[in-house]
Amino acid sequence: GGVGKTTLARVVFKKIRNKFDISCFLENVREISQNCDGMLSLQGKLLSHMKMKDLKIQNLDEGKSIIGGILFNNNVLLVLDDVNDIRQLENFSVNDQKWLGPGSRIIIITRDMEVLRSHGTVESYKIDLLNSGESLQLFSQKAFKRDQPLEHILQLSKVAVQQAGGLPLA
């Protein structure tokens, strides 16, 4: 966590979402799905992005069926952030990619590669941690609004970045 998976996906989403018939970015899937009716609320959010705001779904199976029917043959961009269980994907009808129209993309953000393997993901991308120079630069940009810290705080900044272990925003 903290390497920038969600941030990177959000940038990509904003850049390409207008090229799709339906686009939706669902954040914090793991956390929300743990709440009572959390998956139902996530299905509802997805349906609202499909111009189905007034549709009230009663249960996960109904939501899954409706979502699958709407996604069928549409050009879809769906980002699912922080997925940690294959059942979360199944509840969005994304486990059968032949339902989706040509050019559709589903971006699954997860810390658990087994979720992707179980899903049969076509491509995956692993984000590497930053090296010490990149970490110092990012830390300095966020903390001091400059590419490098001033000389009098350079050593302290290097120690802070080293302690963060490749996650300078931690």
Side-chain angles (χ1 to χ4, degrees):
V3 76
K5 298 179 295 295
T6 300
T7 301
L8 179 60
R10 191 176 291 120
V11 168
V12 170
F13 177 81
K14 286 178 181 177
K15 196 168 220 170
I16 65 173
R17 69 178 171 203
N18 293 330
K19 298 177 182 177
F20 296 85
D21 301 329
I22 298 169
S23 61
C24 183
F25 193 114
L26 293 177
E27 295 186 69
N28 304 317
V29 171
R30 175 184 49 83
E31 180 182 336
I32 294 170
S33 67
Q34 291 173 346
N35 298 332
C36 181
D37 292 333
M39 281 305 302
L40 206 57
S41 73
L42 287 168
Q43 284 181 337
K45 184 174 180 182
L46 177 55
L47 287 169
S48 74
H49 283 273
M50 297 175 175
K51 312 295 188 254
M52 306 292 285
K53 291 181 183 181
D54 298 329
L55 184 63
K56 298 292 183 212
I57 50 177
Q58 303 301 315
N59 59 58
L60 292 176
D61 286 335
E62 179 185 19
K64 183 176 165 179
S65 177
I66 293 169
I67 289 168
I70 295 170
L71 294 181
F72 184 73
N73 281 340
N74 274 302
N75 187 2
V76 176
L77 172 62
L78 176 59
V79 179
L80 301 171
D81 173 48
D82 197 16
V83 173
N84 70 334
D85 190 320
I86 189 72
R87 290 173 295 194
Q88 294 160 341
L89 300 175
E90 292 166 353
N91 283 314
F92 294 114
S93 294
V94 298
N95 55 328
D96 191 356
Q97 293 146 356
K98 65 183 177 219
W99 284 32
L100 303 172
S104 291
R105 297 287 181 262
I106 298 173
I107 299 172
I108 302 166
I109 303 166
T110 184
R111 297 178 188 181
D112 184 354
M113 293 301 286
E114 188 55 38
V115 169
L116 298 180
R117 281 190 280 281
S118 298
H119 178 257
T121 300
V122 177
E123 291 181 48
S124 65
Y125 180 79
K126 185 175 189 256
I127 297 177
D128 295 324
L129 295 178
L130 300 176
N131 66 35
S132 60
E134 294 165 336
S135 292
L136 182 61
Q137 182 178 9
L138 181 57
F139 175 77
S140 184
Q141 287 170 344
K142 293 297 181 181
F144 310 121
K145 309 290 188 249
R146 52 187 311 131
D147 284 343
Q148 293 295 319
L150 296 172
E151 192 63 37
H152 71 282
I153 55 173
L154 178 61
Q155 285 304 78
L156 183 59
S157 296
K158 286 182 177 180
V159 169
V161 165
Q162 182 182 14
Q163 289 296 313
L167 302 172
L169 301 183

